[in-house]
């Protein structure tokens, strides 16, 4: 049983008398804590903590701990630490301390400059001796050049708090990317509050797939990160116009805005950005059902002389938005329009005749039924400086519209057509003839309207500016088309003919013979009717310039590898996957003293066995990548030995 003592300030509670010289001091040390078996009259004063515990006939000394302090007191202590490194060290004590340190704002750090000056005097730092002062270090810490990224399970509030504290004394956080979130302890406004308080230098913020982050979290960022320049919101359904309005008012330097799949962001938020962010340079808005003409028109009209990049996809906008783009897009250089079902031919026609897209250089249109011959011709006339143009899934565009556009777009350098099924040989070759002297690259992908017909064209003037030609997965493209291309394109350097089952050796050789400039990159993957004859002639005539060659799926054998080994001195990338290659062909490559391959793919070559291990080891002296997938005759033990031998090379098996 513990004893009951009646203390009046003068009674002794130990055998040697009072432990206090002044009897009144006892009231300042003993408390009514749960570990103290003592009675105090009501007029006695009690304080926090009791280092002594009275039990039985003796005192027990209790070890004092700072953890008994409430958060308010501990916060006041931590904010008075002299530097960022000290605060980082304290944040490692516990999650409680980390939370407290991460909630200290830069303006709450007590007498920072005074503490730094006192430290400088104490340490006797002399600038004349070339020693950098503490004050200069702290000026450098706010630059915000550090980048951090959290993905999946690693994206938690605790990690954000650690980032906030850790980067503050090491240069400052400039970019933060959060992809996904922990299902149990996901990112919330608590973590973003830590970032806002510890990272005022944040300029780039990207939030993807964060259902747990709402307006409160984004408002915290806007409240503390006034230097924010780029904001990327993707699939954040809890974020609404409210927080976007707060960001617009608090971050006037915002110049890059990306919003995708945010169902609760609409015109009101975009109008706020238009009013408060005069330096806006780039906007990308996708799949936001409440965004309409009002929001887009506000952005374009308010940033007419600063906005250079616009990307609009899957929005409920009409011809009005395109009319605004055509009139106010005076600084636009890049424009992308995708899946706009409510935009008609009139919208493209008005946009082209708005005379505002004089600086437009790159234009991409995908899945827009409003792209017709009339609208495309107007775009060509209204964009005199257009250099890159891509049309994808435009089902109402015909040959006449394409040729009219090519004739008016005199500055065009690159033309790409994908899944435009009404385009035929007439439109394709007509665009080659009508394009100006600046056209350098043309690409035709999965256009089912291309049929290999004998056009009987008269003598044509060659397109000498064309350097790159790509025809992919157009089943109707055959030898007759290659003959015409050979007459038109004599200066090709990059050639891609992939997935074309209709071309044979005869057609390809006619194109090859007309190529006066040396071919640099050639991709013939999926051309199942091309044989060793083509490869041998190409290696002989263009081996002195060839750097990349893809023969995946072609009917080639060891003879092609022998020709390559003898003639292609500059070749660095070779793909002979699913070809009839044997160990002898690999040995021929390895015996060549001229070839220096960096990438080699022999995937699916079933006749290559463990006998090629020495040859592959020799080739591995220069190889950086080797693909051995689906090589069933090569054992795993041989691959293990090869990995040890050419450890610098990435091997796929």
């Amino acid at each position: 049983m513990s004893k009951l003592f009646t203390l009046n300030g003068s009674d002794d509670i130990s055998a040697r008398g009072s432990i206090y010289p002044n009897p009144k001091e006892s009231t300042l040390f003993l408390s009514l804590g749960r570990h103290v078996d003592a009675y105090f009259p009501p007029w006695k004063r009690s304080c926090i903590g009791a280092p002594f515990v009275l039990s039985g006939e003796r005192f027990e000394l209790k070890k004092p701990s700072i953890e008994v302090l409430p958060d308010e007191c501990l916060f006041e202590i931590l904010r008075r630490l002299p530097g960022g490194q000290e605060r980082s060290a304290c944040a490692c004590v516990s999650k409680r301390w980390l939370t407290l340190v991460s909630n200290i704002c830069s303006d709450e750090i007590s007498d920072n400059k005074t503490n730094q000056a006192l430290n400088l005097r104490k340490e006797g730092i002399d600038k004349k001796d070339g020693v950098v002062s503490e004050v200069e270090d702290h000026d450098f810490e706010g630059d915000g050049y550090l980048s951090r990224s959290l993905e999946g399970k690693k994206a938690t509030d605790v990690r954000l708090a650690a980032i906030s504290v850790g980067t503050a004394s090491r240069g400052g956080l400039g970019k933060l990317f959060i992809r996904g979130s922990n299902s149990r302890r996901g990112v919330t406004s608590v973590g973003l509050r830590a970032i806002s308080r510890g990272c005022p230098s944040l300029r780039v913020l990207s939030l993807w797939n964060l259902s747990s982050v709402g307006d409160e979290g984004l408002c915290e960022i806007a409240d503390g990160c006034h230097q924010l320049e780029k904001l990327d919101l993707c699939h954040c359904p809890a974020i609404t116009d409210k927080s976007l309005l707060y960001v617009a008012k608090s971050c006037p330097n915002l110049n890059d805005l990306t919003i995708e799949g945010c169902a609760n962001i609409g015109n009101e938020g975009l109008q706020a950005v238009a009013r408060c962010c005069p330096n806006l340079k780039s906007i990308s808005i996708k799949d936001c059902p409440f965004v309409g003409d009002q929001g887009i028109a506000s952005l374009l009209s308010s940033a007419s002389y600063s906005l250079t990049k616009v990307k609009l996809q899957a929005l409920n906008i009409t011809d009005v938005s395109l009319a605004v783009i055509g009139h106010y897009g005076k600084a636009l250089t890049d424009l992308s329009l995708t899946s706009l079902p409510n935009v008609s031919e009139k919208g493209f026609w008005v946009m082209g005749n708005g005379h505002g897209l004089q600086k437009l250089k790159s234009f991409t249109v995908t899945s827009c039924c409003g792209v017709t011959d009339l609208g495309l011709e107007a775009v060509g006339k209204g964009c005199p400086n257009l250099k890159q143009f891509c049309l994808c899934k435009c089902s109402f565009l015909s040959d006449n519209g394409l040729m009219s556009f090519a004739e008016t777009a005199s500055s065009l350098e690159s033309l790409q057509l994908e899944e435009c099924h009404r385009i035929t040989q007439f439109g394709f070759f007509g665009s080659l003839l009508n394009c100006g002297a600046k056209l350098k690259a043309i690409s035709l992908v999965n256009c089912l309207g291309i049929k290999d017909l004998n056009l009987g064209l008269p003598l044509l003037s060659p397109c000498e500016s064309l350097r790159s030609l790509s025809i992919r997965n157009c089943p109707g493209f055959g030898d007759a088309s290659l003959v015409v291309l050979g007459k038109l394109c004599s200066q090709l350097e990059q050639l891609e003919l992939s997935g074309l089952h209709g071309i044979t050796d005869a057609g390809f050789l006619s194109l090859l013979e007309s190529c006066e400039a040396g071919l640099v990159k050639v991709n013939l993957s999926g051309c199942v009717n091309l044989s060793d004859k083509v490869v041998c002639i190409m290696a002989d005539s263009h081996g002195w310039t060839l750097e990349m060659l893809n023969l995946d799926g072609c009917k080639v054998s060891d003879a092609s590898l022998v020709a390559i080994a003898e003639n292609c001195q500059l070749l660095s990338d070779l793909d002979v996957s699913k070809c009839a290659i044997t160990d002898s062909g690999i040995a021929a490559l390895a015996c060549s003293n001229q070839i220096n391959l960096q990438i080699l793919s022999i995937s699916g070559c079933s006749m290559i066995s463990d006998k090629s291990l020495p040859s592959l080891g020799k080739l591995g002296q220069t190889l950086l990548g080797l693909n051995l997938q689906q090589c069933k005759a090569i054992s795993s033990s041989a691959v293990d030995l090869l990995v040890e031998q050419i450890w610098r090379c990435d091997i796929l098996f």
Side-chain angles (χ1 to χ4, degrees):
M1 291 288 296
S2 57
K3 296 183 178 180
L4 179 65
F5 291 84
T6 303
L7 304 179
N8 55 16
S10 61
D11 295 341
D12 294 339
I13 58 174
S14 66
R16 297 183 181 180
S18 175
I19 60 174
Y20 303 103
N22 184 358
K24 293 183 179 181
E25 291 182 2
S26 63
T27 63
L28 302 177
F29 211 73
L30 294 178
S31 70
L32 289 174
R34 59 182 179 179
H35 298 295
V36 180
D37 296 328
Y39 170 75
F40 296 92
W43 56 270
K44 291 288 185 179
R45 180 184 176 188
S46 61
C47 299
I48 298 175
F52 289 94
V53 176
L54 185 59
S55 178
E57 297 292 341
R58 64 186 184 87
F59 291 100
E60 295 180 2
L61 181 64
K62 179 183 176 183
K63 187 177 180 181
S65 173
I66 197 173
E67 291 296 335
V68 300
L69 293 177
D71 289 347
E72 294 80 359
C73 296
L74 190 56
F75 179 86
E76 291 297 325
I77 295 173
L78 294 175
R79 79 181 184 91
R80 285 171 168 78
L81 293 174
Q85 294 184 355
E86 289 79 2
R87 286 188 292 275
S88 296
C90 289
C92 297
V93 173
S94 65
K95 288 185 179 180
R96 180 195 177 200
W97 285 41
L98 172 62
T99 303
L100 291 174
V101 174
S102 65
N103 278 277
I104 300 176
C105 296
S106 57
D107 56 355
E108 292 177 336
I109 299 175
S110 179
D111 295 330
N112 203 11
K113 295 183 179 179
T114 304
N115 291 336
Q116 292 171 7
L118 291 174
N119 290 336
L120 291 181
R121 294 193 191 101
K122 184 177 179 180
E123 297 175 8
I125 296 178
D126 188 3
K127 292 185 179 180
K128 295 182 180 180
D129 295 335
V131 181
V132 181
S133 70
E134 294 269 346
V135 178
E136 292 173 341
D137 283 343
H138 278 271
D139 289 339
F140 176 71
E141 286 172 6
D143 290 344
Y145 66 89
L146 295 178
S147 299
R148 293 293 183 267
S149 177
L150 295 178
E151 297 184 9
K153 295 181 179 180
K154 295 182 179 180
T156 62
D157 288 340
V158 174
R159 288 184 181 271
L160 286 178
I163 288 174
S164 173
V165 176
T167 57
S169 60
R170 292 172 175 81
L173 184 66
K175 299 179 181 180
L176 178 61
F177 306 91
I178 305 177
R179 303 285 191 266
S181 182
N182 192 302
S183 57
R184 295 183 179 180
R185 301 182 301 275
V187 174
T188 65
S189 59
V190 176
L192 294 181
R193 182 185 302 116
I195 293 296
S196 70
R197 302 208 170 180
C199 308
S201 60
L202 187 68
R203 296 190 302 272
V204 177
L205 176 64
S206 180
L207 305 177
W208 283 23
N209 301 319
L210 297 177
S211 58
S212 57
V213 173
D215 289 335
E216 183 180 357
L218 193 57
C219 288
E220 290 286 353
I221 291 292
D223 189 48
C225 305
H226 301 297
Q227 300 181 32
L228 192 67
E229 298 177 358
K230 182 177 181 179
L231 179 61
D232 183 2
L233 303 175
C234 179
H235 295 289
C236 298
I239 293 179
T240 68
D241 288 331
K242 177 183 177 181
S243 56
L244 196 59
L245 175 63
Y246 199 72
V247 169
K249 292 181 178 180
S250 304
C251 306
N253 295 328
L254 189 69
N255 58 48
D256 193 325
L257 178 63
T258 299
I259 303 175
E260 178 179 343
C262 297
N264 292 311
I265 291 181
N267 294 326
E268 185 179 353
L270 297 184
Q271 288 172 338
V273 173
R275 289 193 305 268
C276 304
C277 302
N279 299 320
L280 201 62
K281 296 180 180 179
S282 175
I283 59 170
S284 177
I285 305 175
K286 175 183 177 181
D287 195 19
C288 296
F290 292 116
V291 172
D293 292 327
Q294 294 180 353
I296 301 301
S298 298
L299 289 173
L300 266 297
S301 58
S302 62
S304 178
Y305 293 98
S306 63
L307 198 59
T308 59
K309 295 182 180 180
V310 173
K311 181 178 180 181
L312 307 176
Q313 181 174 350
L315 301 177
N316 295 322
I317 61 176
T318 66
D319 297 336
V320 175
S321 293
L322 265 64
V324 173
I325 292 174
H327 182 75
Y328 288 101
K330 301 182 184 301
L332 273 184
T333 58
D334 295 86
L335 177 61
S336 177
L337 305 175
T338 303
S339 299
L340 304 178
N342 297 326
V343 173
S344 66
E345 177 186 71
K346 180 181 178 181
F348 283 93
W349 185 87
V350 173
M351 182 178 66
N353 286 282
H355 304 293
L357 301 177
Q358 300 295 311
K359 295 183 179 180
L360 190 65
K361 295 182 179 179
S362 176
F363 190 17
T364 300
V365 184
T366 304
S367 300
C368 292
C369 57
V371 177
T372 61
D373 296 345
L374 181 62
L376 191 61
E377 183 179 1
V379 169
K381 293 179 180 179
C383 306
N385 294 303
L386 189 63
K387 297 182 181 299
Q388 298 178 355
F389 189 47
C390 176
L391 287 171
C392 181
K393 298 180 180 180
C394 297
S395 55
F396 294 102
L397 179 65
S398 68
D399 293 337
N400 294 329
L402 182 61
M403 289 188 291
S404 299
F405 169 80
E407 187 175 358
T408 55
S410 57
S411 299
L412 195 64
E413 296 181 358
S414 175
L415 176 61
Q416 180 177 346
L417 304 174
E418 183 173 350
E419 296 189 37
C420 297
H421 301 307
R422 294 187 64 185
I423 302 298
T424 68
Q425 265 92 339
F426 292 99
F428 176 66
F429 291 119
S431 61
L432 280 177
L433 294 173
N434 291 334
C435 275
K438 296 181 180 180
L439 186 66
K440 297 179 181 179
I442 190 167
S443 175
L444 200 64
V445 181
N446 195 22
C447 293
L448 303 182
I450 301 292
K451 303 295 181 182
D452 200 28
L453 303 174
N454 189 359
L455 301 178
L457 295 175
L459 185 62
L460 303 174
S461 58
C463 185
E464 296 182 352
S465 62
L466 195 68
R467 296 291 183 270
S468 176
L469 174 64
S470 177
I471 312 293
R472 290 183 288 154
N473 300 323
C474 296
F477 202 94
D479 289 344
S481 300
L482 286 180
V483 172
V484 178
L485 282 177
K487 297 177 181 179
L488 291 175
C489 312
S490 60
Q491 302 296 321
L492 287 177
E493 296 178 357
Q494 300 182 21
L495 178 62
E496 180 179 12
L497 303 174
S498 60
L500 305 182
H501 298 175
I503 63 174
T504 64
D505 290 349
F508 184 77
L509 289 177
S510 64
L511 174 63
L512 197 63
E513 292 173 357
S514 64
C515 292
E516 300 175 358
L519 291 173
V520 178
K521 296 182 179 180
V522 177
N523 184 356
L524 303 176
S525 60
C527 296
V528 296
N529 293 317
L530 296 183
S531 65
D532 290 326
K533 181 180 180 180
V534 166
V535 179
C536 292
I537 295 177
M538 181 169 52
D540 182 56
S541 57
H542 296 272
W544 57 283
T545 57
L546 200 58
E547 297 178 3
M548 189 277 286
L549 179 59
N550 189 339
L551 302 173
D552 184 0
C554 297
K555 293 193 303 183
V556 298
S557 62
D558 294 339
S560 295
L561 293 187
V562 172
I564 291 171
E566 293 177 352
N567 298 285
C568 302
Q569 302 178 7
L570 301 178
L571 191 66
S572 60
D573 189 339
L574 176 61
D575 190 342
V576 287
S577 300
K578 298 188 288 291
C579 295
I581 305 298
T582 67
D583 297 327
S584 300
I586 302 298
L589 284 178
C591 291
S592 175
N593 296 324
Q594 300 177 346
I595 196 168
N596 293 296
L597 286 177
Q598 295 182 355
I599 306 294
L600 176 61
S601 178
I602 51 177
S603 173
C605 296
S606 58
M607 290 185 287
I608 296 179
S609 65
D610 292 348
K611 295 180 181 179
S612 294
L613 184 62
S615 300
L616 292 174
K618 186 176 180 180
L619 290 171
Q621 296 176 0
T622 59
L623 280 179
L624 301 176
L626 176 61
N627 189 351
L628 300 176
Q629 292 177 317
Q630 303 300 321
C631 293
K632 299 180 180 179
I634 298 180
S635 62
S636 57
S637 59
V639 175
D640 293 337
L641 293 175
L642 191 61
V643 170
E644 295 180 0
Q645 185 178 357
I646 54 174
W647 54 271
R648 296 178 180 175
C649 177
D650 292 330
I651 300 179
L652 296 177
F653 179 68

